[in-house]
Amino acid sequence: MDVQMWTYILVGLTFTLYIGIAIWSRAGSTKEFYVAGGGVSPLANGMATAADWMSAASFISMAGIIAFAGYDGSVYLMGWTGGYVLLALLLAPYLRKFGKFTVPDFIGDRYYSKTARLVAVFCALLVSFTYVAGQMRGVGLVFSRFLEVEINTGVIIGMIIVLFYAVLGGMKGITYTQVAQYCVLIFAFTVPAIFISIQMTGNPIPQLGMGSTLADGSGTYLLDKLDGLSTELGFAAYTDGSKSMMDVFAITLALMVGTAGLPHVIVRFFTVKRVKDARKSAGWALLLIAILYTMAPAVSVFAKTNMIDSVVGKSYADQPDWLKNYEDLGLIAWADKNGDGIVQYSPGNAFEGNKSKPMFNEKVRTALGNRATTNASMTSANELYVDRDIMVLANPEIANLPGWVIALVAAGALAAALSTAAGLLLVISSSVSHDLIKKVVNPNISEKGELIAARLSAVGAVCVAGYFGINPPGFVAAVVALAFGLAAASFFPAIILGIFYKRMNKEGAIAGMVIGILTMLIYMMKYKLGWFDEVLPGKDEWWFGISPEGFGSVAMLINFVVSLVVCHFTSPPPQDVQDIVENIRIPSGAGEATGH
């Protein structure tokens, strides 16, 4: 049975399971739609949180970034795992004690202001849409490669599936679907890693295999081999880092505090009955997340080593089928600059050259878009472009694993992307229906009307997400890192100060969120879109040496400073609000999550 048939079978079975769960657990009230009725067990909520958290960026892109960045890619591991610890210890129990449906709900009530709520709604939508863009790109990648359909068609299929169980089931449907998706994605990530670890090192535990000697009897350590391959090609050693310590610190911090401010993860802790259950589910989620996160570095080492061994320095005519399959999708491209027919790989951009030259086919140029330049000269000797997002997907093919393992990875990647996309769509729909319509525009709306508004909002959100999937703004993990920066710049200071500082008032919180999010947006626009180059300094160099992915930490500090300065020059919050803050610090006596 070929790979495509296996893919149809496994993806079809998993999609049928997701849809069946959605029908079984469909929401009949706003409480079930927003917080799954508040009765989810800690283990189930931990699995759902892990699936919600481990998006296409974790499954597809993180190992790919580590494969190409080497030691520097560790910032994603440190930031995302450390951020979850921060969320579990500092925020989850207290927000569950507060007992509201959403992050804008907390900010609106804690800061006793409709303006604060509206700013929080804007920030939640901005973070969620930026994040969901990465998920839909992941969906398009998987469908285009394994089901042999156009990327646009694949995105539309993914939209329909997510729409079905997100709109029908709400948080209740999403929660139990995500439990199934966690099982699928972790199995799909683990099985090929075990096979390849045995194949390369003889050790069945990938985390240990990465540091073991090769199975060929040479006594060479796998990491030493990869370091040698990298330096021979002109790259830095894989285990050496080239980023400045400032940028490493900034990216790690931005990812950590961004994690703690992500609305679709925070809302998961409102689905359990008690504060104690919120702590337990956070512990379960951290344990379940660690299985994949400790394995990702090993997968990246396996994939990079096998890719160099099987492709570089060999004739293009003798290249394996998997390379040509991805080349047809525009995710790998080769430019024979010296005309020798041999694939050369070295530092530099393979696409500095005239598009009219027969370096790669028209389909590749269209898919790459602005990545291919129109410069007349070629200043780099590199002939190979590899999209880092394919490394996990292509890993089993590079290692010549059975067709069912390759198909399993496709099903796991779809589970990762769709689980997070569904959680983000729920945040978007609840922000519009609950925080905007119910709390601001029409407070007298009926529960049935609010539920209809939530479902219509989800439909609109899916359409926008589909647009981003069809017109992706970049690599999955890079886009997701920007979403974390936006969350760090906007939500984290407002939530932390709202919980631990009674003197914090609405004026300070609003000013901090607005200045923080604007600072991050301007920096993103300048260095990602090329805007403001004539107005702002630093056209060719990052401010303070910090990349856009790490600038959320700077914007967060600005938010903190502005919030504290403004709050000390304005009136303190009412006494009843200060009493609420005092109460939520005591982790007992919490009632059910409520929107009222």
Side-chain angles (χ1 to χ4, degrees), residues 25-45:
S25 59
R26 59 189 179 275
S29 66
T30 53
K31 185 178 179 182
E32 288 185 338
F33 192 90
Y34 293 139
V35 291
V40 181
S41 72
L43 177 57
N45 195 52

Side-chain angles (χ1 to χ4, degrees), residues 93-110:
Y94 306 105
L95 290 173
R96 176 61 190 86
K97 180 68 183 289
F98 195 81
K100 296 298 178 180
F101 282 153
T102 65
V103 173
D105 220 8
F106 168 81
I107 289 176
D109 284 11
R110 165 61 181 86

Side-chain angles (χ1 to χ4, degrees), residues 97-167:
K97 180 68 183 289
F98 195 81
K100 296 298 178 180
F101 282 153
T102 65
V103 173
D105 220 8
F106 168 81
I107 289 176
D109 284 11
R110 165 61 181 86
Y111 294 113
Y112 51 97
S113 167
K114 285 186 177 180
T115 303
R117 184 186 298 275
L118 289 174
V119 172
V121 168
F122 171 79
C123 293
L125 293 176
L126 189 63
V127 170
S128 299
F129 276 125
T130 305
Y131 204 154
V132 84
Q135 311 315 308
M136 299 315 290
R137 171 175 162 80
V139 171
L141 279 173
V142 176
F143 272 113
S144 63
R145 167 62 191 95
F146 293 103
L147 299 184
E148 295 186 5
V149 298
E150 292 292 328
I151 290 180
N152 295 3
T153 307
V155 170
I156 292 169
I157 295 171
M159 286 167 57
I160 292 170
I161 298 296
V162 173
L163 188 65
F164 187 88
Y165 65 78
V167 172

Side-chain angles (χ1 to χ4, degrees), residues 55-57 60 125-141 151 155 389 417 420-421 424-425 428 461-483 486 524:
S55 62
I60 297 175
L125 293 176
L126 189 63
V127 170
S128 299
F129 276 125
T130 305
Y131 204 154
V132 84
Q135 311 315 308
M136 299 315 290
R137 171 175 162 80
V139 171
L141 279 173
I151 290 180
V155 170
D389 285 342
T420 303
L424 291 164
L425 292 173
I428 294 167
V462 165
C463 294
V464 176
Y467 171 81
F468 284 126
I470 292 169
N471 301 281
F475 297 119
V476 175
V479 175
V480 168
L482 294 176
L486 290 167
M524 282 172 56

Side-chain angles (χ1 to χ4, degrees), residues 291-502:
I291 297 172
L292 187 146
Y293 269 58
T294 57
M295 208 180 303
V299 171
S300 68
V301 170
F302 300 154
K304 186 69 176 290
T305 305
N306 276 336
M307 190 270 286
I308 294 174
D309 270 345
S310 62
V311 171
V312 178
K314 296 182 180 179
S315 166
Y316 179 77
D318 297 329
Q319 291 298 327
D321 290 340
W322 67 264
L323 183 139
K324 296 175 182 179
N325 289 335
Y326 282 103
E327 188 177 28
D328 286 342
L329 297 172
L331 301 173
I332 285 180
W334 174 61
D336 191 12
K337 295 179 178 179
N338 57 12
D340 64 355
I342 304 297
V343 177
Q344 307 292 341
Y345 185 47
S346 60
N349 179 10
F351 296 100
E352 291 174 344
N354 193 317
K355 280 187 180 181
S356 65
K357 293 181 180 180
M359 298 185 342
F360 42 88
N361 62 40
E362 186 65 34
K363 191 172 184 179
V364 170
R365 284 201 298 271
T366 302
L368 288 172
N370 61 9
R371 291 191 193 131
T373 68
T374 55
N375 296 334
S377 62
M378 298 183 186
T379 58
S380 167
N382 183 33
E383 298 181 347
L384 186 67
Y385 167 81
V386 181
D387 190 307
R388 65 190 69 181
D389 285 342
I390 72 166
M391 293 307 287
V392 171
L393 300 178
N395 200 21
E397 295 179 85
I398 299 172
N400 293 314
L401 295 185
W404 68 267
V405 179
I406 298 169
L408 183 64
V409 171
L414 287 172
L418 295 178
S419 62
T420 303
L424 291 164
L425 292 173
L426 188 69
V427 167
I428 294 167
S429 65
S430 61
S431 294
V432 173
S433 62
H434 184 72
D435 297 306
L436 190 60
I437 296 176
K438 171 74 174 176
K439 294 291 187 175
V440 179
V441 178
N442 183 12
N444 297 319
I445 190 172
S446 66
E447 182 170 319
K448 183 178 179 181
E450 187 180 350
L451 193 57
I452 291 171
R455 286 178 165 144
L456 290 176
S457 301
V459 173
V462 165
C463 294
V464 176
Y467 171 81
F468 284 126
I470 292 169
N471 301 281
F475 297 119
V476 175
V479 175
V480 168
L482 294 176
F484 280 74
L486 290 167
S490 56
F491 282 132
F492 184 73
I495 296 172
I496 283 290
L497 292 172
I499 293 171
F500 295 105
Y501 189 43
K502 290 194 294 184

Side-chain angles (χ1 to χ4, degrees), residues 213-252:
T213 56
L214 295 169
D216 60 8
S218 65
T220 304
Y221 283 93
L222 175 58
L223 284 172
D224 287 341
K225 178 181 179 179
L226 184 52
D227 275 348
L229 290 172
S230 299
T231 53
E232 284 174 17
L233 295 173
F235 296 94
Y238 185 83
T239 53
D240 288 345
S242 59
K243 279 184 178 293
S244 69
M245 186 57 66
M246 175 63 76
D247 198 30
V248 168
F249 178 81
I251 295 175
T252 304

